[in-house]
Amino acid sequence: MKIGKFNILGDFEAGVFTKEYEYEIDGGLLDYFEYADDAAAQAAYVSSNPSDNITLIDQSSDGSGVTGVGDVSDAEFRIAQSFTLTEETIIRGVSFSFGANSGTPSGDITAQIETDTIGDGSGNPSGSLAHANFTKTITPTASQWNDFIFSTPTVLAAGVYWIRLYCDNQTTNNYWSINRVTPSAYDGGIFNFYNGSAWNRLPTYDNTFKVYSVDTVLQSYSESTIKTQGSYSLKGIGNSTISLNETLTRTLGSTIDLTGINTLKFDIRSSRTGSNLKLSIHDSGGTTTELTPNITQADNWQSVSWDISGVADADKDAIDEIKITVVNADADNTFYLDNFYWGTNPPLTSLNITDIDGDVDEEIMVICKLINGYDGAVIYGLQCNEDASTNYSNQYLDGTNTTVSGARTSGDNYINIGYNSALNELCFSRIIGCLQSRDIRPFIIISGSGISGTTITSIRNGTAIWGVASTNITSITILASQANGLGKGTHIILYKKRKKS
């Protein structure tokens, strides 16, 4: 009778352990478009022309009168003009038509957008900025339009607001003149002036003023909802007519070698059908390879296979740039790109292995060859049931170069199974987990990390636990601490040992 024998080779040969899962990453990555916010997306994919300035409100009728900003007969006059937004709008700046100066006013004038004291435009300027960005100080020039352009264009919600002009106090009868018109030429607001003691609303007057907005030409954004993999896709918005031939360009930090690669793959989605966008890759030797995919159905993802077999290896062995070009701008276009890679299985940040049943599977053995696809250091971990909370503990003996050390940690977020320090390094790990323990779920880990050429940086023998006994293990996740840390050449095999019937 066979009692208590555990022989890996013998048990495999006897069929006690069986191979249940195998995954190999044979592809490479051009871009997963994992940009966590708009600023990151726009820094990666730089627009040739992100926006044009437009005049949102243009009340530029010839002035039939003037009002002073400064000292008028020993009273300090200030002015304000209200305006209405019917929808959320990006505000870039404002402008006022100045007349001839009275005397020699000195210093600067500040324009700022303020809320209304009542909230519906029936009050006065509140003195409170509608947004911290809506203030600008300039030294104005008499007898011309003077622009007050805010440092950062900012979104302003629908509503009624006041533009207030003010300055330092002046000596007697030294003031700047601001042109105004009567009868009122702008329906969305009125003129208001401060005479040193109170605001005075004049509904039949308007200043000669403008409000500037921003109109998108072509810009990139981060998208977290509409995607095909990972956490984000790249979103682009191109405006009709003005976005034609404009580009979004990413300059790669390290060139990508596509020698021997015949097919590239990516996912694309667009609000327009037809061939409206061109995707291109540029080799440092000067060759540009292009594809203009045909969008067959609007607002639906479609996968594209790009045949580059006809491109010589010398013209694709050092890709240094990815570019998106608008080639048809007959209408506005909102588009998305995701999952740009080659091969069958591209690099990953994590791999979730399901179809594990801790009520039936006594033990599992996971053998991992982990190739670093990230240009830097990566730590590899194992999680049970996608549990990323602090339910793990690790204890191990470590041999790094010629130094031996040990450590014990608790409250960890994963079981540590190894690391790599640089791009293309190898970590080899074997993990045996006992799934049938009722108090804890123990694992034994043997790993060699930071392997490159004939150098093995570190070896480790360790034990770890997942301290959740009440839940059946139904999946494990092999994860990397950095994006695409599971690079080309990664190979993961899962074996199971099950109860005998």
Side-chain angles (χ1 to χ4, degrees), residues 69-288:
V69 176
D71 186 288
V72 180
S73 300
D74 291 325
E76 291 293 335
F77 273 55
R78 309 292 184 256
I79 69 165
Q81 170 72 44
S82 63
F83 68 98
T84 301
L85 297 179
T86 58
E87 61 183 0
E88 185 178 83
T89 306
I90 299 174
I91 301 299
R92 177 178 176 266
V94 298
S95 186
F96 283 82
S97 176
F98 281 60
N101 291 341
S102 173
T104 54
S106 62
D108 301 323
I109 287 186
T110 297
Q112 62 185 42
I113 299 178
E114 300 179 359
T115 56
D116 181 78
T117 53
I118 296 175
D120 60 1
S122 61
N124 296 311
S126 67
S128 297
L129 290 172
H131 190 282
N133 291 337
F134 291 141
T135 181
K136 180 66 177 181
T137 300
I138 68 168
T139 301
T141 301
S143 302
Q144 71 175 41
W145 284 89
N146 284 264
D147 292 338
F148 298 79
I149 305 301
F150 306 127
S151 58
T152 304
T154 303
V155 172
L156 190 58
V160 181
Y161 301 92
W162 289 95
I163 310 166
R164 181 167 70 95
L165 296 186
Y166 65 94
C167 63
D168 292 334
N169 289 346
Q170 305 291 314
T171 56
T172 302
N173 287 329
N174 287 286
Y175 59 85
W176 291 274
S177 296
I178 311 298
N179 292 321
R180 69 172 189 264
V181 294
T182 184
S184 177
Y186 170 61
D187 294 336
I190 64 169
F191 170 69
N192 204 337
F193 75 93
Y194 184 81
N195 62 4
S197 59
W199 284 102
N200 298 267
R201 295 166 56 89
L202 299 177
T204 59
Y205 286 85
D206 279 307
N207 288 120
T208 49
F209 78 106
K210 299 176 183 178
V211 177
Y212 299 129
S213 183
V214 173
D215 195 13
T216 297
V217 178
L218 178 65
Q219 186 58 283
S220 56
Y221 303 91
S222 173
E223 171 58 44
S224 61
T225 302
I226 302 173
K227 59 190 179 181
T228 60
Q229 67 78 42
S231 300
Y232 306 96
S233 67
L234 182 77
K235 177 181 179 180
I237 297 178
N239 206 326
S240 63
T241 308
I242 57 177
S243 65
L244 183 63
N245 296 324
E246 302 293 352
T247 60
L248 299 173
T249 303
R250 180 188 173 196
T251 301
L252 301 176
S254 300
T255 60
I256 297 174
D257 185 359
L258 296 179
T259 298
I261 303 302
N262 294 323
T263 304
L264 304 179
K265 300 176 182 179
F266 62 90
D267 299 329
I268 189 168
R269 172 177 169 144
S270 173
S271 60
R272 296 186 62 199
T273 59
S275 300
N276 306 308
L277 301 168
K278 178 173 66 180
L279 187 63
S280 61
I281 53 175
H282 179 270
D283 187 86
S284 62
T287 299
T288 298

Side-chain angles (χ1 to χ4, degrees), residues 310-330:
V311 181
D313 284 342
D315 294 330
K316 58 185 178 184
D317 61 352
I319 302 302
D320 61 3
E321 187 178 86
I322 301 171
K323 182 176 290 187
I324 305 158
T325 305
V326 176
V327 295
N328 185 304
D330 291 346

